[in-house]
Amino acid sequence: MDKPAAPPRPDASGVPLLPTVPNDIPGNLCVLNLSFNALARLPADLGDSFATLCSLDISGNQLTSLPEDIGRLQSLRELYANRNALASLPNSIGSLHKLEVLGVSDNRLARLPPCLGLLTESLRVLAVDGNPFDGVHQALVGPLVAAPLEDRLRGIRPRERMRKALTGMSGKTDRPKPSDGTRRRDAKEYRLAAIKNLLAASIAGRRGRSESALQTVHMAGSSSTSSTSDNAAAEVATTLVEAGPNSAGAFGRDGMCPSPHGTHGTSANAASAAAPDEASVKCVLWQLRDEWDLDPANGESGRNGHTPSRPRRRTAACASGASAIGRAYHEKASTASSGQRMKILSELLVTEVTYVDTLKNVVGVFLNPMREAKVLSESELREIFSNIEVILAFHNDHFLPAITHAISQPTMAVGSVFLSHSAHFRLYSTYANNHGAGTRSLSAVMSRRAVSSFIQRARRDVTQLGQVSLDGHLLTPVQRLPRYRMLLTDLLSNTLPAHPDHELLFSAAKELDKVIHEVNEKKRAFEQHSLLRRLQERIVGSAAIPLVAPHRAFRCAANFRLQACIESTASGPGGGSIAASRHAGTGYVYRYFLFSDMLLQCSIAANKELRLCRTYGLHARAAPADVTHANELRIVDTGCIIYLKGDADEAQRWAREINNRLEG
C-alpha cells in the first residue's frame, strides 16, 4: 500500500511551503503567485495548463531551470523569477511576445540569452541584479543596475509605482516584519487604490475580460502579507469579478491584476524597484538581438544561401484588365444591345483611321523630311521616333484593312482580327521602352534653332496636325493598346453569348491584356537596366559587382550616418558574443543604394564623387530591417549588423522599403 503524500513542510513561521505546483489550480487564471515556496521544478506542460495567464510570480523558490513550455504562455505579460538558482533561461522565452516585465534578480545567470532580443517590441522592465554574469555580459547589463533609483523607476507603469509606494518595498529579505496595524493600513490603502483604478478604467470605457479570466490564485509562502492583507486583497479581487464587463481597470491597461503580496523579498515589487528606465532596457535588448541575428543557426536563408523568395504582386494593369474582362463576360453579356455594339464598332473603325493618319503625318511631315534635310543625325532620329515606321506599316497595311473588312461583313466579327494580329502588338514594347528617352532627346534638340524652326514650319504647313505638338503625337502609340482593351471590353459586354463573335472577343480581350502586361513588364525591366547602367557608371568601384544583372532591381537611395557596425566574435568555450566593431569610417555620412538583393554603402567625396565602400547581401533575413527605440535604422546582413542614423520618418520608410524589396 502506497504511503500518503507528505504534507507541505512549514517554514520557521509555521506557514506550509509547497514542494510542487498543485494539480487542482484552475487553468483559466489571470494571475498566479507561487512565490517563496519550496518548488524545485515547474510542470512541463505549464504553457498548456495556463494559457490565459497574464502574470506569474515564482520568486523565492529552488528552481534551477524553467521549462521550454513556458514559451506557450502567449498571454503572459509579467514574469517574476527572482531569488532562485536559475543558471540559464530557455530559448522559448523569446516567444513571449507580450511580455512586458521580467525579473530574474539573484539567480546564477552567467549570460542573458540572445533570444531576449526578440522582445524589443514588448519588454520594458528587466531586473537582473545579483547574478554572476561573465565579463562580457557584466558590461552589457551595467546600465540596468548602475542608474539612480529614480531613473530606474522611469520605465515602470504607474500601477507598479503605486504598488511600490504603498508597500514601501526595499527589496531586502531581512526587513522588519510589519505590525498588524501597518498590515491593515497597507491593505486598506491597497484596496482603495485598486477601486479607484477600477472606476477610472470604467469611465474610460476600457474593454474588460470575462469573469473566468479575472481569477487570481495566491499560494505564496511566509514572506507574504498576513491574513488580514490577504483577505483585503481577496475582497478586492471579488469586487473586480462582480463589477461587470468594464472591470478591467484594476488589472492595469492590459488586464493584469496587481499582486497583493507586496512585501516579500525580491519578488514582484523588488523587480519593479530594481527596474531601470525603458531606454536602458531597449539598449540591452537590441544588443542581445544583434547576437541572436548574427548566429548562423538563426538565419532564414536557404541551404544554397539564396534570399527567401516572396510572391510577386500582379501589376495593376494586369489585374484591372482581367477583372474588367471577367465582369463583361459574366455580368453584362445578358443585357447586350445590338445598337450599342454597332456604335462601339464604328468608334473602333473611326479611331483606327485617325490613328493611322496621325502616324502617317508624324512620319511624312517630320521624320522623313528631317532625315532628308539632315536636321538631325540618324541616331538622334532613331532615339526620338523609335520604331514608329514599323508600327505604321503594320497598322496601315494589315490591321486597318482587316478591321474594315470584318466590319463590312454581316456578323461584323472583329474578335478573330485581334486574335490573328495579337503577336504584332508586341511591337509596342520597343516603342514604350524608348519613349521616355525619346521625349528627353526631343526636348534637348529643340534648343537648336534649325530644329525648332523646322518643326514650326512643318506644323504651319500641315493643318490636319491641329494644335497638338510633336511630342503629343509621339505619345499616341503609347496610349493605343489600352484604348483597344477598353473598346474590346465594351464590345464584349454588348455582344450576346449566342453571337458568333462572342467567344472570339473574349479570347482576344484576354490575349490583349496579356500583351499589355508583357509590354509593361518589359518597359519596367528596360528602365531598371538603364538605371543600373547609369549607377554603374556613376559609382567608382562598382564594376567589380557588377550592378547590371537580370534579377536585380533598384529600389531607393538616401544618405545616413553610420552609427555602428556589429560583428560576432569568439569568446571562449561559451560560443559567440557581441562586439561593437567601430570600423574606419563609423560616424560618417554615407550614400546608401538599396537594390532587390543587396545594399551598397558609398563614400561621398568633396567633388560629389561616389566610391563603393562596402556591400551588404541582406540574405540573413527575409525582413532584415528594424527601427530601434532611438529611431536608428538597423539592418541585418549575413556577417554583420549596421545601425544608421537619419530622419526618423526616413528611417521608417527605408525599413519598409528594405523589407519589401523582393516584391514587384
Side-chain angles (χ1 to χ4, degrees), residues 559-572:
N559 291 351
F560 288 100
R561 184 179 302 278
L562 179 61
Q563 297 290 93
C565 182
I566 311 300
E567 295 179 331
S568 60
T569 60
S571 181

Side-chain angles (χ1 to χ4, degrees), residues 400-517:
L400 178 57
I403 287 290
T404 304
H405 175 74
I407 294 178
S408 67
Q409 300 302 308
T411 58
M412 293 189 243
V414 299
S416 60
V417 176
F418 276 91
L419 276 176
S420 61
H421 293 85
S422 60
H424 295 84
F425 290 139
R426 291 177 171 83
L427 291 170
Y428 283 87
S429 180
T430 301
Y431 190 89
N433 291 344
N434 296 330
H435 177 69
T439 301
R440 292 189 293 271
S441 297
L442 177 61
S443 177
V445 299
M446 284 292 290
S447 60
R448 305 177 195 173
R449 180 174 299 180
V451 176
S452 60
S453 299
F454 183 93
I455 292 177
Q456 290 298 325
R457 287 196 304 270
R459 289 189 61 185
R460 287 195 300 266
D461 293 342
V462 184
T463 57
Q464 58 264 45
L465 287 177
Q467 299 301 315
V468 181
S469 60
L470 175 58
D471 56 346
H473 286 298
L474 291 174
L475 180 63
T476 306
V478 178
Q479 302 169 334
R480 192 57 186 165
L481 292 187
R483 182 66 178 273
Y484 284 147
R485 179 169 59 186
M486 182 190 70
L487 290 171
L488 282 182
T489 302
D490 290 344
L491 190 59
L492 179 62
S493 66
N494 287 279
T495 301
L496 292 171
H499 195 284
D501 198 29
H502 187 273
E503 291 298 329
L504 292 172
L505 280 174
F506 182 69
S507 299
K510 289 201 302 182
E511 184 64 25
L512 180 61
D513 194 68
K514 179 181 177 182
V515 171
I516 293 175
H517 177 67

Side-chain angles (χ1 to χ4, degrees), residues 364-397:
V365 175
F366 293 100
L367 176 56
N368 288 338
M370 294 175 83
R371 179 181 286 136
E372 294 173 1
K374 296 184 179 180
V375 176
L376 293 172
S377 66
E378 191 62 33
S379 61
E380 290 173 326
L381 290 174
R382 203 164 41 244
E383 188 169 351
I384 294 172
F385 293 95
S386 188
N387 63 335
I388 197 169
E389 293 174 291
V390 179
I391 294 176
L392 171 60
F394 161 65
H395 283 271
N396 185 65
D397 300 341

Side-chain angles (χ1 to χ4, degrees), residues 523-575:
K523 183 176 186 296
R524 185 185 309 182
F526 179 83
E527 291 174 346
Q528 281 289 340
H529 183 274
S530 301
L531 179 57
L532 292 174
R533 190 173 63 249
R534 292 197 298 271
L535 289 175
Q536 188 90 72
E537 297 171 353
R538 182 184 178 193
I539 301 175
V540 178
S542 63
I545 299 177
L547 290 182
V548 180
H551 66 279
R552 183 169 296 129
F554 172 77
R555 291 291 179 252
C556 56
N559 291 351
F560 288 100
R561 184 179 302 278
L562 179 61
Q563 297 290 93
C565 182
I566 311 300
E567 295 179 331
S568 60
T569 60
S571 181

Side-chain angles (χ1 to χ4, degrees), residues 80-403:
Y80 305 104
N82 306 287
R83 288 194 175 274
N84 280 282
L86 300 176
S88 62
L89 297 176
N91 282 334
S92 63
I93 204 169
S95 302
L96 302 176
H97 297 301
K98 293 184 179 180
L99 192 66
E100 298 182 5
V101 180
L102 176 61
V104 290
S105 297
D106 299 319
N107 278 281
R108 300 176 183 175
L109 300 175
R111 289 172 175 266
L112 290 176
C115 63
L116 279 182
L118 301 176
L119 305 180
T120 53
E121 295 295 326
S122 62
L123 196 61
R124 301 186 295 113
V125 178
L126 179 60
V128 297
D129 308 65
N131 283 283
F133 290 115
D134 62 18
V136 173
H137 279 242
Q138 188 66 47
L140 173 67
V141 302
L144 298 182
V145 297
L149 179 61
E150 189 61 31
D151 292 341
R152 295 160 74 186
L153 287 172
R154 195 173 300 154
I156 304 176
R157 290 196 297 264
R159 171 175 61 79
E160 294 167 336
R161 293 188 185 182
M162 176 197 73
R163 189 191 308 167
K164 175 173 174 53
L166 293 176
T167 58
M169 268 294 303
S170 66
K172 298 180 179 179
T173 57
D174 57 350
R175 64 172 298 185
K177 188 175 291 187
S179 64
D180 290 342
T182 302
R183 288 172 178 160
R184 286 194 293 270
R185 183 172 62 253
D186 287 348
K188 180 179 179 180
E189 291 177 354
Y190 176 86
R191 182 170 183 267
L192 290 175
I195 292 175
K196 289 180 181 180
N197 201 7
L198 166 64
L199 294 176
S202 300
I203 295 173
R206 292 177 177 172
R207 179 173 61 86
R209 295 179 179 267
S210 64
E211 179 175 330
S212 61
L214 296 178
Q215 298 184 47
T216 305
V217 170
H218 302 282
M219 297 184 176
S222 61
S223 296
S224 302
T225 55
S226 68
S227 59
T228 303
S229 180
D230 288 343
N231 293 337
E235 185 178 354
V236 172
T238 303
T239 304
L240 296 177
V241 171
E242 297 174 349
N246 292 323
S247 61
F251 288 73
R253 65 177 180 86
D254 302 309
M256 289 182 293
C257 178
S259 172
H261 301 281
T263 58
H264 56 66
T266 56
S267 184
N269 296 332
S272 299
D277 63 288
E278 186 175 345
S280 297
V281 173
K282 295 299 184 184
C283 182
V284 171
L285 292 179
W286 280 114
Q287 293 183 68
L288 292 171
R289 179 69 175 270
D290 291 341
E291 186 174 347
W292 173 270
D293 284 334
L294 287 174
D295 187 346
N298 301 323
E300 295 175 351
S301 57
R303 294 182 179 179
N304 296 328
H306 298 303
T307 302
S309 60
R310 289 186 179 183
R312 295 181 66 86
R313 296 175 295 185
R314 299 173 65 195
T315 62
C318 181
S320 63
S323 61
I325 296 169
R327 285 196 302 269
Y329 183 75
H330 294 291
E331 300 175 7
K332 299 182 179 180
S334 59
T335 59
S337 167
S338 59
Q340 186 65 22
R341 172 179 163 82
M342 185 61 194
K343 290 181 180 178
I344 297 171
L345 288 171
S346 176
E347 181 182 357
L348 172 61
L349 182 58
V350 170
T351 56
E352 185 65 20
V353 171
T354 303
Y355 177 59
V356 171
D357 287 342
T358 300
L359 296 180
K360 286 181 178 179
N361 284 327
V362 171
V363 173
V365 175
F366 293 100
L367 176 56
N368 288 338
M370 294 175 83
R371 179 181 286 136
E372 294 173 1
K374 296 184 179 180
V375 176
L376 293 172
S377 66
E378 191 62 33
S379 61
E380 290 173 326
L381 290 174
R382 203 164 41 244
E383 188 169 351
I384 294 172
F385 293 95
S386 188
N387 63 335
I388 197 169
E389 293 174 291
V390 179
I391 294 176
L392 171 60
F394 161 65
H395 283 271
N396 185 65
D397 300 341
H398 301 281
F399 192 67
L400 178 57
I403 287 290

